[in-house]
Amino acid sequence: MQLFNQTYLFDIDLNCVMIVGMFIDSLCVFLPVQDCFSIGMDISTENNESPILDAESNKQRRKKSIVWEYFTIETVGADCTRACCKQCKKSFAYITGSKLAGTSHLKRHIVLGICPVSRRNQEKNQSTPHLPGLKSNGAASVTDPRRKRYRTTPVFPVLPFNQDIGNHELAKMIILHEYPLNIVEHHGFIDFVRTLQPKFNIASVDSIEMDCLGVYLSEKQRLLNLICGIPGQVSLTLDLRTTDETIGYVFLRGHFVDVDWRLQRRILSVIMVPFADSEVAFNHAVKRCLNDWGLDSKLFTLTFDESFANITVRENLRGLLSIRNPLVLNGQLLIGSCYARVLASLAQDALGSMRETIKKVRESVKYVKTSELIGEKFIELKQQLQVPSMKSLTIDNQTKWNTTYHMLVAALELKEVFSCLDTSDPNYNETPTTDDWKQLETLCTYLKLLFEAANVLITTPHPTANVFFHDVWKIQFELTHGSLSNDPFVSTLIKPLKEKFDQYWKKTNLVLAIAAVMDPRFKMKLVDFSFSRTYGNDAENWIRIVEEGVHELFLEYVVESLPPPTFMEDANELVTKTELVEEGETLFSSYDGLLDFEVYLSEITGNQHMKSELDQYLEEPVLPRVQEFDVLGWWKLNMSKYPTLSKMASDVLSIPVSTVAPDSVFDTVSKKMDSYSASLRPVTVEALICVKDWIRYGSSVQCRSSEISTAIVKMENR
C-alpha cells in the first residue's frame, strides 16, 4: 500500500511537470536566467531523492543534491532534523519523524534570492549563483558521478530579463487585444506581473502610450518601405465611424499588389473629422492620407459608401480623384457604393417586407430552444416523422442578416415538425401557416443569392476584383426576371430590390467588367455572354463600351510607360537635346514636331506586323476554368510577355469593392467607435487601430529584441 501511494504521488508530479513545462515559455520574457533555470530543475532533482521512511538511513545516505553546498544538517531532536543555510543561518524543515521535506524549498531560498546574503551577491555579480557540480548552462559536469534524472520537461531557450523587451511586449499585448491603456494601473495586473518578475518596472499610462506609439512608428516605416517598392498603384477604401458625440473617424484602407504579386490590404489612416457632414471633410482626410504615405501620384481608385455622402460630397471626391489621377478614365473609377452594404441593404429590405411572418418563425424557434423538455419533444417528433434535415435551430442575431437567413432555412426544413408540434402542444400557437411557409421559401431563394455573393468577401482570402463581375451580374439578372414574374407576391417582393440594385449595377459594371477581362479564363468572352443575356438586342452597345474602356485604359498605361523627353540647361533656359539647332539649319529640319507621336505609335503596335499586348492577349484562347486559380500568379509568370498590360492588370485586380472588414460583411447596423477609444487622443486611436490591423493581416510585425524602435515619438494633436 505504501508503494502504491508513492507511485501515485509520483504520477501527480509528472502531470505537474508537464503543466509547468507548457507555462515556462510564456514566462521567459519576465523571468531572469536563474529563474528559468530553477523552474527547469526543481522537479527533476527532487524526484532523485525518493522518500526514505527511516530517519536514520536518511542521515547516513550520501547527499546527492547540490543544495548541500549551501546548507548543513543539524539534529534538533530525536525525530527532527533541520537544514541550516550557511550564509544567513536560517533554519528550514528537513526530516520530522518519518516525513521528508525534500530540497525544493532549499533551492528556492538560494536561487530566487530569498536569502538576503545570496541576493546581495547576485546583485553584485549580476549572474546566476555558482552551484558546484554544474556548468553555466545548468547541465551536470562530466566529472560528477552519473545520477539518475527524470527529464520530463522540454528544454527552453533562456532569455535574460530585459525591461525594454517587457515594455515592448506589454504594448503589443494592449494593441492586439484592445486592452485599455490604464490596465497598467489595475491592481490585479500589477500583482500578477510582480509574481512573474519582481524586477519588472510597470510603466505609467503615459509611458505605455508612448510605447504603443513607438510600435506604431516602427511598423509604419516598414509598411512605408513596402508601399514605396510596389510597381503599381494603390486603391483606397473610405469608411466612416461615428461616436455618441457625433464625431467622425474616417478609416482609409489601402489595397495594392506587392512586388511578389500578392494582394495586400492595410488600414493606412484613421483620421478624426469633427464635422463628418461637412462637404470637404472626406477630401481633407484623403489628402492627409496621401501625403502621409507618399501616394500623391499612386492613387488609382477610391471606393466609399454613399449612405453617408450626399451628391456634393461625391462630386468633390470625384474631382479629387481626377486631379490626383487624371489619366484613368477621367475619374470614372470612383466607386460610390460598398458591395457588402448594398447586399445588406437588399437583405434588410427583403426581410422587412415579411417582418410579421419572420417574427412567427423566431418565436417558434425560441419556444423550442428555451425549454429543454420541449426541445426533447421536438427531436422526438422529428425522428417519428423521419425528417432528414441535419440542421439545428438557432435564434438569430438581428444585427447580422445572415443569422436570420440561416434560422429561416433551418426552420423551413423542419416545418413539418413545427406543424406536428402545433397539434400536440396546446401551448404552442406561433406556427406559420402553409402560405407563410411558401412565401418564406421564395424569400430564402433570393436571400441565398445575396448570401452566396456576400460570402465571397469572407471565405476567399484577399479576393481580387475579377471574382465579382459574375456574381453581380447574376444578381442583376435574377432580380430583373423576378420583378417581371406573374406571381404577385414575387414581383411585389423583388421590384424594390431590383430598383435599388440597378443603381449599383449602373455605377460598377464597367469597373467589374474590366477586372473580369483581366482574368485569362474569361477575357471578353464572359462579358459577351453576360451582356447578351441581360440586354438582348442592345447587348452590342454595352459590350462596345467595355471594349473601348479596356483599350482606353491600356493606352493610358502605354503613354505612362513612354520615356520622358531629356532636357539640358543652357543659359538658364531648358531646351531639348534633340532639338539643338546647328548654325545654318532651320528649326523644322532638326525637329518635325511628331517625334513623340512616332514613339507612341511604335509602343502601341510595335510595327506593321505586330499587335499590341492587349490585342494579342484578347485574341489568345481563354484558359480552362479550374476551381483553384491564382490570377495574380498567372500575371506574374506572364509579366515578361505582357510588360505593360501586366501593370494594368495588377492595378485593376487590386480594386476593392467593399469598404468594410470581413467580420462586418453581414452587419445591418454601422459600427460606432466605443466611448473609451473616443476618449483617447486622435493620434493614439490611429496608432492602436492601425498596428492591430497590420499584425492581423500579415504585416512584418514580428517582435525581435534587436528591432525595438528607438525612434523619438513626436506627440501631435491632430
Side-chain angles (χ1 to χ4, degrees):
M1 185 65 181
Q2 184 65 34
L3 179 61
F4 169 79
N5 289 336
Q6 292 180 14
T7 306
Y8 176 71
L9 292 173
F10 179 67
D11 288 341
I12 295 179
D13 289 343
L14 287 178
N15 292 333
C16 293
V17 169
M18 295 176 65
I19 295 173
V20 171
M22 295 170 62
F23 192 58
I24 289 175
D25 193 38
S26 62
L27 305 184
C28 287
V29 171
F30 293 105
L31 294 178
V33 175
Q34 59 267 28
D35 292 3
C36 297
F37 168 77
S38 65
I39 291 177
M41 295 293 296
D42 275 352
I43 297 177
S44 60
T45 48
E46 186 174 6
N47 286 333
N48 292 335
E49 301 169 357
S50 57
I52 300 177
L53 302 180
D54 185 83
E56 188 64 28
S57 61
N58 274 296
K59 298 177 184 178
Q60 297 176 356
R61 75 184 183 94
R62 182 173 177 268
K63 304 300 182 184
K64 298 180 180 179
S65 177
I66 57 176
V67 301
W68 301 117
E69 298 291 336
Y70 295 86
F71 289 86
T72 58
I73 297 177
E74 297 180 354
T75 302
V76 178
D79 295 329
C80 181
T81 303
R82 297 182 65 83
C84 181
C85 177
K86 295 180 180 179
Q87 300 185 68
C88 67
K89 306 304 180 182
K90 186 175 181 180
S91 177
F92 295 87
Y94 182 52
I95 299 176
T96 303
S98 61
K99 182 178 180 181
L100 178 66
T103 59
S104 295
H105 63 303
L106 306 181
K107 282 196 278 295
R108 286 195 295 270
H109 177 72
I110 296 297
V111 180
L112 295 184
I114 300 175
C115 175
V117 179
S118 176
R119 183 169 64 251
R120 285 194 295 270
N121 292 336
Q122 291 184 44
E123 291 174 353
K124 291 180 181 180
N125 299 330
Q126 290 295 314
S127 61
T128 305
H130 174 67
L131 301 181
L134 290 184
K135 297 180 180 179
S136 59
N137 62 0
S141 171
V142 294
T143 60
D144 289 346
R146 289 186 174 273
R147 295 175 294 162
K148 183 179 179 182
R149 305 179 66 85
Y150 297 93
R151 287 292 184 185
T152 56
T153 57
V155 178
F156 297 97
V158 177
L159 297 177
F161 169 70
N162 187 302
Q163 180 73 38
D164 292 334
I165 294 178
N167 291 338
H168 186 76
E169 291 294 331
L170 178 57
K172 270 191 61 184
M173 180 192 74
I174 290 174
I175 292 171
L176 188 59
H177 300 288
E178 298 183 2
Y179 296 136
L181 295 176
N182 62 357
I183 190 177
V184 296
E185 296 178 342
H186 295 179
H187 294 299
F189 178 76
I190 294 173
D191 293 342
F192 174 69
V193 172
R194 285 179 176 170
T195 301
L196 297 180
Q197 177 50 266
K199 294 182 180 179
F200 185 74
N201 183 26
I202 300 178
S204 65
V205 174
D206 291 339
S207 296
I208 202 63
E209 182 181 14
M210 294 288 289
D211 290 335
C212 292
L213 291 172
V215 175
Y216 167 72
L217 291 179
S218 175
E219 299 310 324
K220 182 177 181 179
Q221 186 59 54
R222 290 197 182 105
L223 187 55
L224 266 172
N225 296 339
L226 175 64
I227 294 177
C228 290
I230 66 174
Q233 302 184 76
V234 177
S235 292
L236 292 179
T237 58
L238 185 152
D239 196 19
L240 177 68
R241 293 187 189 179
T242 58
T243 65
D244 292 335
E245 293 77 20
T246 68
I247 296 175
Y249 285 84
V250 178
F251 284 60
L252 290 154
R253 190 186 297 269
H255 301 249
F256 56 91
V257 174
D258 63 19
V259 292
D260 295 321
W261 284 84
R262 294 175 299 187
L263 182 60
Q264 305 284 352
R265 56 183 182 186
R266 302 285 187 275
I267 294 179
L268 300 182
S269 300
V270 178
I271 302 170
M272 187 190 74
V273 287
F275 305 101
D277 55 351
S278 170
E279 295 179 350
V280 295
F282 296 146
N283 280 44
H284 290 327
V286 173
K287 288 179 182 178
R288 208 200 89 181
C289 176
L290 297 178
N291 293 334
D292 284 352
W293 292 91
L295 300 176
D296 285 332
S297 59
K298 285 194 172 185
L299 177 61
F300 187 58
T301 65
L302 181 63
T303 305
F304 67 103
D305 183 14
E306 287 183 332
S307 62
F308 52 76
N310 56 35
I311 296 177
T312 304
V313 172
R314 293 197 297 269
E315 291 305 316
N316 288 340
L317 289 173
R318 188 180 302 278
L320 174 64
L321 182 62
S322 299
I323 293 173
R324 298 286 176 161
N325 194 350
L327 297 179
V328 182
L329 301 180
N330 297 319
Q332 292 183 59
L333 297 188
L334 177 71
I335 304 176
S337 298
C338 170
Y339 184 46
R341 287 198 168 117
V342 168
L343 297 177
S345 178
L346 294 176
Q348 282 181 276
D349 291 348
L351 293 169
S353 66
M354 296 188 63
R355 186 178 295 104
E356 294 303 321
T357 305
I358 294 173
K359 183 179 179 181
K360 291 182 182 180
V361 176
R362 185 178 295 115
E363 293 301 323
S364 298
V365 174
K366 284 184 181 179
Y367 185 78
V368 174
K369 296 294 292 183
T370 55
S371 172
E372 184 176 351
L373 183 63
I374 297 174
E376 293 176 354
K377 183 177 181 180
F378 189 86
I379 295 174
E380 183 180 348
L381 290 174
K382 176 185 174 183
Q383 294 173 348
Q384 291 176 1
L385 296 172
Q386 296 182 349
V387 177
S389 175
M390 299 299 293
K391 296 186 180 298
S392 58
L393 294 173
T394 56
I395 303 173
D396 65 328
N397 174 5
Q398 296 183 51
T399 64
K400 298 276 189 180
W401 67 265
N402 62 317
T403 63
T404 306
Y405 165 70
H406 290 311
M407 179 186 71
L408 295 178
V409 170
L412 281 167
E413 293 190 3
L414 298 168
K415 61 183 179 181
E416 295 179 10
V417 185
F418 280 110
S419 298
C420 187
L421 182 65
D422 182 45
T423 59
S424 60
D425 188 344
N427 296 322
Y428 174 57
N429 53 13
E430 293 289 344
T431 180
T433 65
T434 303
D435 289 340
D436 289 339
W437 289 119
K438 183 178 179 181
Q439 291 177 358
L440 287 173
E441 287 180 356
T442 302
L443 173 65
C444 286
T445 300
Y446 289 95
L447 286 179
K448 180 181 180 182
L449 192 67
L450 302 179
F451 172 76
E452 291 177 345
N455 207 41
V456 175
L457 295 168
I458 297 177
T459 57
T460 306
H462 303 298
T464 46
N466 58 301
V467 304
F468 296 103
F469 174 75
H470 184 261
D471 286 339
V472 173
W473 165 80
K474 186 178 180 181
I475 295 173
Q476 173 70 13
F477 180 79
E478 294 295 339
L479 293 181
T480 300
H481 279 262
S483 64
L484 301 175
S485 173
N486 294 326
D487 187 332
F489 171 77
V490 176
S491 60
T492 302
L493 173 68
I494 301 303
K495 277 183 179 179
L497 307 183
K498 197 258 182 185
E499 292 175 1
K500 179 176 287 190
F501 196 75
D502 278 346
Q503 299 299 316
Y504 180 76
W505 171 257
K506 180 180 178 181
K507 296 171 184 176
T508 60
N509 72 81
L510 175 60
V511 176
L512 298 180
I514 293 176
V517 173
M518 292 296 100
D519 190 327
R521 299 171 298 167
F522 303 143
K523 301 185 179 180
M524 282 297 300
K525 305 300 183 185
L526 182 60
V527 176
D528 295 344
F529 166 77
S530 303
F531 283 3
S532 61
R533 297 190 63 186
T534 302
Y535 298 111
N537 296 332
D538 295 333
E540 290 186 6
N541 294 330
W542 292 94
I543 294 172
R544 185 168 60 252
I545 291 174
V546 176
E547 288 179 336
E548 292 175 353
V550 173
H551 281 82
E552 182 180 348
L553 184 59
F554 174 68
L555 292 182
E556 290 170 356
Y557 274 84
V558 171
V559 172
E560 187 179 351
S561 65
L562 291 176
T566 306
F567 295 91
M568 63 178 295
E569 187 173 353
D570 182 15
N572 297 325
E573 293 182 1
L574 292 176
V575 295
T576 307
K577 285 183 179 181
T578 57
E579 296 178 24
L580 292 177
V581 181
E582 297 291 340
E583 184 177 356
E585 292 184 356
T586 64
L587 180 61
F588 182 77
S589 63
S590 172
Y591 179 67
D592 62 5
L594 294 176
L595 181 60
D596 288 344
F597 172 73
E598 292 179 358
V599 175
Y600 165 73
L601 192 62
S602 65
E603 289 289 338
I604 299 176
T605 60
N607 55 54
Q608 294 180 353
H609 303 288
M610 295 294 291
K611 296 178 180 178
S612 69
E613 292 179 23
L614 177 59
D615 291 333
Q616 182 181 349
Y617 166 76
L618 293 177
E619 291 180 6
E620 290 178 350
V622 296
L623 297 182
R625 194 169 67 88
V626 295
Q627 187 69 23
E628 298 293 335
F629 180 73
D630 182 6
V631 65
L632 292 177
W634 186 89
W635 280 105
K636 179 181 180 180
L637 294 175
N638 290 272
M639 185 168 51
S640 59
K641 183 178 181 181
Y642 305 110
T644 303
L645 188 60
S646 62
K647 293 180 180 179
M648 171 178 158
S650 68
D651 291 337
V652 170
L653 293 173
S654 63
I655 294 176
V657 300
S658 177
T659 64
V660 300
D663 59 353
S664 301
V665 166
F666 295 103
D667 287 355
T668 57
V669 293
S670 298
K671 285 189 175 180
K672 285 192 172 186
M673 295 287 288
D674 60 89
S675 58
Y676 170 74
S677 298
S679 68
L680 300 174
R681 295 188 305 165
V683 65
T684 305
V685 173
E686 183 174 36
L688 296 177
I689 293 175
C690 287
V691 175
K692 180 182 178 182
D693 178 79
W694 300 341
I695 295 175
R696 178 186 297 177
Y697 290 108
S699 181
S700 58
V701 184
Q702 299 295 333
C703 294
R704 298 290 184 269
S705 59
S706 61
E707 297 178 351
I708 296 179
S709 174
T710 58
I712 299 176
V713 181
K714 182 179 180 181
M715 308 294 290
E716 298 179 357
N717 290 321
R718 294 180 176 176

